[in-house]
Amino acid sequence: MKKALARCRTRSAGTASPFARARMIHPAADAGVGSPAPFVRQIFAVAAIEGEEKLTVTALGLYRCFINGVRVGADLLTPGWTCYDKRLSFQTYDVASLLKAGDNVIDIWLADGWYRSQLMWGADPIFNCWGDKLAALAEISNRSGVVVATDSFWQSGLTPIRKSGIYLGEVYDAREEGAPADKGCSVIAFDPTVLVAHESNAVRELVPLAEVRSWRDAEGRTIYDFGQNAAGYASLVATGEPGARLTIDHAEILDGDGGIDNANMRTAAARIEYVLKGGGDEAYRPHFTFQGFRYARVAIAGDARIVSIASVPISSAIRPRGAFVSGNALVNRLVENTAWSLRSNFIEVPTDCPQRDERLGWTGDAQVFAPTACYLNDSHAFLRKWLRDVIADQRADGAISYVSPDPTRMQPQGFPGFFGSAGWGDAICVIPWVLWTHYGDRVVLKETLPAMVRWVDFLWSISDGPIVSTPRTIGARGFTFGDWLQPSGTSEKPLPTTGDDFVATVYLFISASLAARAAEVLGDKRVAARMRQRAGTVRTAFQREFIASSGRLVYDDQTSYALSILHDLIPATLLPAAARYFKEAVARTGNRIGTGFLGTPALLPALVKIGEPALAATVFLQEGAPGWLYQVKSGATTIWERWDALLPNGRAFSSGMNSFNHYAYGAVCEWLFQSVAGFRPDADEPAFRHVFFEPTIIAELGSVSAHHDSIVGRVEAAWRVKGANVIYDVTLPADSRGTLILSPSYADVAVDGKRRRRADRLPLGGGRHRITFRLSQTAAASRAERQRLTNVSSTWRSEGRDG
Ligand code: BGC
C-alpha cells in the first residue's frame, strides 16, 4: 500500500483558515447518532501530478479518508479530541503518490466518535455532545491551486459501519461494502477560526500483541488471552459464509469460572460485531472506537471461523523516552505496568481509564501523573495540547472543569457544577510547571499563566481566610474529591483520613506558589508578587489551622504529613516532631500505604526527605494490599484504579468503579527515577541542562539502572551494591552539568577515582562519571531491618486492623 505522510503545521486558533475553498459539508445519508456511518465522495479530474499535492482535512465527528480506494496515512481517530466548539484540529497529508492523471475519487468516512456518541456514564449519558450532524471539510491543493474541495456538489452514502461509538464499539457488515453514493451533501455553517493544526502526533497502532492462550467457555465461545491489558482493538482474519456474524466482547479480567468479567465497563458495550461477506479470508479491524482489554471473547453465529486474531494497542504515546530496571522483578513489572497504563490512557487526551463509560480527561489523574509521563515518554506536545483544552473549558469564575474536554460544559443538565475540585483543577498550575522543568517550555507558561492566576483566584474565592472550605456534595461550588480512593472508607466518595479542607488548602498553596514561579520565569513581577503574597498568607493560615503546637497535624494521617512536609509547610522547629508523627501514621497502617490519588506521589519522597529511606523502601516493597507490588503479584499488567481492585481471592472488589487500567498510582515511578535512580531536572536550568543526582540506595533492590532521553540528550544513572559498597555510574549529555548530592550517611565518597572529603553538593561536568561510596550498613543488615518492619505489617494485618 502506498503511504501518505502526515505533516503537522503549527497554527493557532483564530488565524486565517488553511482552506482556500472547502466548505463544511453534511452528508444527507447521515441519519443521526447511532445510525450507520456515512461517507462523502467526490470524483475529480487531475490534469497532471505536480508532486506536491496536499490534502488538508478535518471533520465534525471522526473521519478516515481514502483516495482511489487507498487509505490516506495511518493516523487513527482523527481529527482527534479537543473542545470542538472552540478548537478543532485538522491534518495535512502529502497525497501526490495516491493520485493519478485523469479521474480520481476521494471518499471520507465519518463516524460519531467523541463528537456525538455517548460520553459520561450510565445515569446521565450525553449524546450529541458537540452537535448532531456529522460533517467533513477537506481540500486537496497543489502549486497551481485547489484540486478538489468539499462543497454542496459532493455525494454521500453509507459505509459498512452500521453503528459505532467510543464506548459502544462497532458493528460492521462486510456485505455492505461498496455501497453507492446515492445521496447529496449540504453546506452547513462553520466557523473556521476554531481550526488548529493537530498539536501533537496522532494516535497510532503499536506493535500487535499475539494471543498467548485461548479456551472455550461454557457456552462454546472462544476466549483469547493476549497476556497484556491495553487500549486498542482486536484485529482478525476470518473466513465463512456470507451473513455469519462474529461478536467480540472485551474484558480486563476473568470471572474465575472460565469466563470473562466485564461488568466494570458499566454502560460501555465495548462490543465489536462483524458480519462476513463470504468468499475467502476477510481481514478486519475496527475503525472508530477502541476498547480497554486483555481478553476477547468471540461468539460465532453461522458458519465461520477465526483464521487469526491479535490485539492491536493504540496510543498517542508513541515516543518512549525512559526506562527503569532493578534487581527486583516485581518492581520492574510495576514500571512496565505504568508504561502500559500511560499508553492506554494517552489517547488524544490524558484519560482516567480506557474501558468503561468514562475515558475522560480527568484533570486530577493527569496532574499527579504528568511527571512520570514525562520521564517515560515524550509527553510535551500531548500535554501542551491538552492544557489548551483545559483553558478552553475554564469557567468564567476561574474554575477548572473536572474533565477536559468537558462534555458537561456543552450539556450541563445532568452534571451541573462539574468543575472546581482542588487537586484536580490544579492541573492548570502543576502541568505547565512540569513541562517547563522537563522541556524548558516558556511558551506554555506564557499561555497558561492567566489561567493559573484565575484558578488561584477561584480557590481563593472559596476559601475563608484563606482555609479552603469544601462542601461535601459533588457539584457544589468548591467540592473537592480530596485524597480520592484512600484505602479506607467506602468506594463512593470515600471518607479519607485527611480532611478535604486540608488537601484543598495545601493545593491552594501549591498552585499560588507555582503561579508565582511561572510569573517570575516570565518576568511578570506584579503577578509574581501577588501570587507569592497569596502563598505566604495561605502558609501562615495553614500553620495556624492545621498544626498543633506539638507538631502534630490535626489530620494525623499519611497524606497530610506527606503533602505538608514535601511542600515545606511545616515550620523548621516543628519538623522533627511532625516527622515522628508521620512515621507513627505509617506504622499505624502496618507500614503500608495509606494514601489516595493526591497523597500517593508525595508519600515516598516525603519519607526520604525526613531521612527515612528504609521506611520508604518498606512501604514500597511490601507485597500485600494496599501496595503497588500487591497488584503486580496478583497478575496485574497495568496499574489499577484501587489498591484492592482484585481481592486476594481473585475476585473483583466491585463492578461499579473498578478499573484495571488507571495510571494515577503509577505516579510512584517519578520517585523511582528521581529518588531511587536519583536524577531529576532543575527548574532553574530546565530541560536537563542542569541535573541533580541524589540517589536513595535501597540495598534490597541489588542494582538499579535508569535512563531518560531528554531534549538535550540521554541522562543515565545506575547503581549496584556489594556488601556496603556502592558504585553509582551516571551519564550527562555533553552540554549539561550536574550536581551530586549524597546523603551524609554515605562514607568514603570518590568521584571518578578521586576521594572527596564532604559528601554534599559536588559539581559534575557533561559525560560519564563513576561515583563510589559506602553505606552505613550492609545490604544484609538493611534487608534484616526491612524484614522486621515487614513483620510489623503482617502482625497488623493478622490482627485485622486493616478496615
Ligand atoms: C475517575 C477518576 C477521577 C474520579 C474523580 C472517577 O470516576 O475514573 O479517576 O479522578 O472519578 O474523583
Side-chain angles (χ1 to χ4, degrees):
M1 183 196 283
K2 298 179 212 165
K3 266 199 191 142
L5 298 175
R7 291 220 295 140
C8 262
R9 290 199 239 120
T10 36
R11 177 185 173 280
S12 43
T15 56
S17 170
F19 295 91
R21 241 178 45 203
R23 310 288 301 276
M24 187 64 90
I25 56 168
H26 166 63
D30 176 23
V33 61
S35 69
F39 68 89
V40 296
R41 171 176 297 169
Q42 185 58 292
I43 295 169
F44 58 100
V46 179
I49 311 296
E50 292 181 2
E52 287 177 16
E53 282 73 12
K54 296 208 184 336
L55 166 70
T56 305
V57 54
T58 186
L60 303 179
L62 296 177
Y63 78 82
R64 189 170 285 189
C65 197
F66 303 85
I67 293 178
N68 297 321
V70 177
R71 178 172 168 191
V72 177
D75 294 345
L76 303 169
L77 303 173
T78 45
W81 192 12
T82 44
C83 294
Y84 295 127
D85 56 316
K86 298 189 179 175
R87 300 159 25 75
L88 176 65
S89 301
F90 64 88
Q91 287 74 36
T92 305
Y93 300 92
D94 292 330
V95 293
S97 62
L98 302 180
L99 295 167
K100 56 186 192 320
D103 274 355
N104 293 265
V105 57
I106 178 169
D107 285 323
I108 304 173
W109 291 21
L110 296 168
D112 296 357
W114 293 289
Y115 190 77
R116 74 175 191 188
S117 76
Q118 177 185 341
L119 294 175
M120 311 299 289
W121 49 88
D124 287 290
I126 294 179
F127 291 92
N128 295 316
C129 184
W130 277 274
D132 58 4
K133 282 188 167 54
L134 299 181
L137 179 67
E139 185 168 290
I140 296 177
S141 54
N142 58 16
R143 260 174 292 132
S144 320
V146 174
V147 176
V148 65
T150 44
D151 61 22
S152 60
F153 297 106
W154 283 47
Q155 297 296 112
S156 71
L158 294 179
T159 71
I161 299 170
R162 304 284 92 191
K163 208 172 181 160
S164 96
I166 297 289
Y167 302 162
L168 178 115
E170 188 165 293
V171 179
Y172 187 98
D173 188 341
R175 295 170 303 179
E176 304 288 342
E177 285 172 358
D182 51 6
K183 291 205 163 65
C185 287
S186 56
V187 170
I188 58 170
F190 173 71
D191 172 9
T193 64
V194 302
L195 289 168
V196 288
H198 204 157
E199 297 148 301
S200 71
N201 57 274
V203 179
R204 287 294 185 96
E205 290 186 350
L206 307 179
V207 178
L209 300 161
E211 160 204 343
V212 293
R213 92 198 153 96
S214 62
W215 65 95
R216 291 268 162 105
D217 72 2
E219 289 169 52
R221 299 168 293 199
T222 308
I223 297 175
Y224 296 90
D225 176 1
F226 299 102
Q228 174 63 56
N229 199 10
Y233 38 70
S235 104
L236 49 94
V237 176
T239 186
E241 291 299 310
R245 178 180 294 258
L246 312 177
T247 302
I248 308 171
D249 287 299
H250 303 80
E252 296 181 292
I253 55 166
L254 298 175
D255 65 4
D257 299 316
I260 59 168
D261 177 356
N262 60 4
N264 67 336
M265 301 199 183
R266 306 190 307 212
T267 66
R271 170 173 286 180
I272 300 297
E273 290 178 50
Y274 179 82
V275 182
L276 280 83
K277 59 185 173 215
D281 285 356
E282 301 178 34
Y284 168 76
R285 325 183 154 189
H287 302 74
F288 296 115
T289 186
F290 61 93
Q291 324 303 334
F293 69 106
R294 169 175 168 170
Y295 305 95
R297 184 184 65 199
V298 181
I300 302 178
D303 186 7
R305 68 181 172 84
I306 298 281
V307 176
S308 66
I309 186 165
S311 159
V312 183
I314 65 167
S315 186
S316 299
I318 54 175
R319 298 194 186 107
R321 288 289 182 266
F324 177 101
V325 182
S326 75
N328 181 319
L330 295 177
V331 172
N332 298 346
R333 184 67 228 198
L334 177 80
V335 178
E336 223 182 295
N337 290 1
T338 307
W340 273 108
S341 283
L342 162 70
R343 289 177 200 121
S344 313
N345 284 297
F346 272 29
I347 292 185
E348 267 299 311
V349 308
T351 58
D352 54 339
C353 55
Q355 77 296 81
R356 68 177 178 226
D357 50 0
E358 286 196 59
R359 315 186 192 186
L360 299 166
W362 280 96
T363 45
D365 308 40
Q367 186 266 115
V368 294
F369 190 69
T372 295
C374 292
Y375 271 113
L376 288 173
N377 192 73
D378 176 0
S379 301
H380 184 188
F382 179 83
L383 289 172
R384 187 179 53 196
K385 171 249 170 222
W386 180 68
L387 285 169
R388 292 178 182 150
D389 291 311
V390 174
I391 293 173
D393 279 323
Q394 189 169 30
R395 303 305 202 260
D397 64 355
I400 295 289
S401 48
Y402 295 165
V403 301
S404 198
D406 181 12
T408 79
R409 179 173 58 78
M410 304 305 297
Q411 297 193 33
Q413 322 75 266
F415 302 88
F418 209 67
F419 43 81
S421 167
W424 269 247
D426 299 277
I428 193 60
C429 295
V430 174
I431 296 180
W433 191 251
V434 171
L435 297 184
W436 163 252
T437 310
H438 277 258
Y439 305 108
D441 187 348
R442 178 185 294 266
V443 177
V444 80
L445 292 185
K446 200 163 184 308
E447 269 186 56
T448 49
L449 183 62
M452 291 188 198
V453 171
R454 292 176 61 217
W455 168 249
V456 172
D457 286 344
F458 167 80
L459 285 179
W460 189 263
S461 78
I462 55 169
S463 78
D464 163 23
I467 301 302
V468 182
S469 33
T470 49
R472 282 200 55 79
T473 324
I474 186 164
R477 191 163 191 274
F479 164 84
T480 173
F481 294 103
D483 194 26
W484 184 249
L485 294 187
Q486 256 195 18
S488 73
T490 62
S491 61
E492 289 317 310
K493 167 77 172 88
L495 289 165
T497 48
T498 185
D500 289 351
D501 56 349
F502 182 100
V503 171
T505 305
V506 171
Y507 265 96
L508 171 53
F509 174 77
I510 294 172
S511 279
S513 307
L514 291 178
R517 293 183 78 179
E520 278 155 14
V521 170
L522 297 170
D524 188 335
K525 293 206 176 81
R526 201 182 48 81
V527 169
R530 186 159 87 84
M531 291 294 112
R532 274 265 165 258
Q533 202 242 343
R534 279 271 157 94
T537 314
V538 177
R539 174 196 258 118
T540 309
F542 174 91
Q543 295 178 346
R544 199 177 52 234
E545 184 86 15
F546 295 120
I547 312 179
S549 54
S550 63
R552 188 178 190 133
L553 299 182
V554 301
Y555 295 110
D556 196 18
D557 70 290
Q558 296 182 17
T559 291
S560 303
Y561 288 104
L563 285 175
S564 36
I565 288 171
L566 200 62
H567 296 286
D568 298 319
L569 280 161
I570 300 187
T573 48
L574 294 178
L575 197 55
R580 252 191 343 267
Y581 287 119
F582 182 19
K583 285 194 297 183
E584 278 172 23
V586 176
R588 273 200 300 281
T589 60
N591 297 322
R592 282 162 197 255
I593 192 152
T595 52
F597 276 28
L598 300 181
T600 296
L603 179 63
L604 304 182
L607 285 172
V608 171
K609 190 166 172 177
I610 62 165
E612 291 293 341
L615 185 54
T618 304
V619 174
F620 177 61
L621 291 174
Q622 67 83 19
E623 296 173 8
W628 290 276
L629 302 188
Y630 168 74
Q631 312 190 350
V632 178
K633 281 199 91 173
S634 309
T637 59
T638 38
I639 301 292
W640 296 347
E641 176 173 26
R642 294 172 178 282
W643 292 115
D644 54 357
L646 210 59
L647 299 169
N649 66 11
R651 299 280 171 156
F653 167 85
S654 83
S655 56
M657 202 190 75
N658 202 17
S659 148
F660 291 85
N661 202 351
H662 236 75
Y663 54 48
Y665 289 142
V668 71
C669 288
E670 177 191 14
W671 179 75
L672 291 176
F673 279 97
Q674 77 168 37
S675 193
V676 180
F679 64 88
R680 61 177 192 272
D682 172 9
D684 291 332
E685 257 171 83
F688 293 90
R689 290 190 171 85
H690 177 220
V691 183
F692 288 109
F693 290 96
E694 190 175 5
T696 302
I697 308 300
I698 300 175
E700 297 89 317
L701 291 179
S703 65
V704 151
S705 152
H707 75 260
H708 170 67
D709 290 311
S710 78
I711 58 171
V712 295
R714 179 166 282 207
V715 182
E716 287 173 317
W719 52 252
R720 52 186 195 277
V721 186
K722 241 198 182 160
N725 296 319
V726 179
I727 297 175
Y728 186 40
D729 288 322
V730 304
T731 309
L732 278 162
D735 294 329
S736 290
R737 64 184 194 93
T739 298
L740 177 68
I741 307 172
L742 290 179
S743 154
S745 68
Y746 300 160
D748 299 343
V749 176
V751 178
D752 297 326
K754 279 201 205 90
R755 280 296 281 275
R756 299 290 182 149
R757 234 169 5 105
R758 284 185 49 87
D760 53 357
R761 305 183 162 240
L762 298 170
L764 298 172
R768 291 175 177 280
H769 303 280
R770 168 156 291 187
I771 298 124
T772 54
F773 51 90
R774 212 161 37 76
L775 302 173
S776 55
Q777 57 179 4
T778 61
S782 99
R783 223 181 340 263
E785 167 66 1
R786 208 177 66 74
Q787 194 50 53
R788 195 185 60 75
L789 291 168
T790 308
N791 290 341
V792 174
S793 318
S794 339
T795 323
W796 173 82
R797 263 323 254 197
S798 58
E799 284 169 8
R801 279 182 279 161
D802 50 336

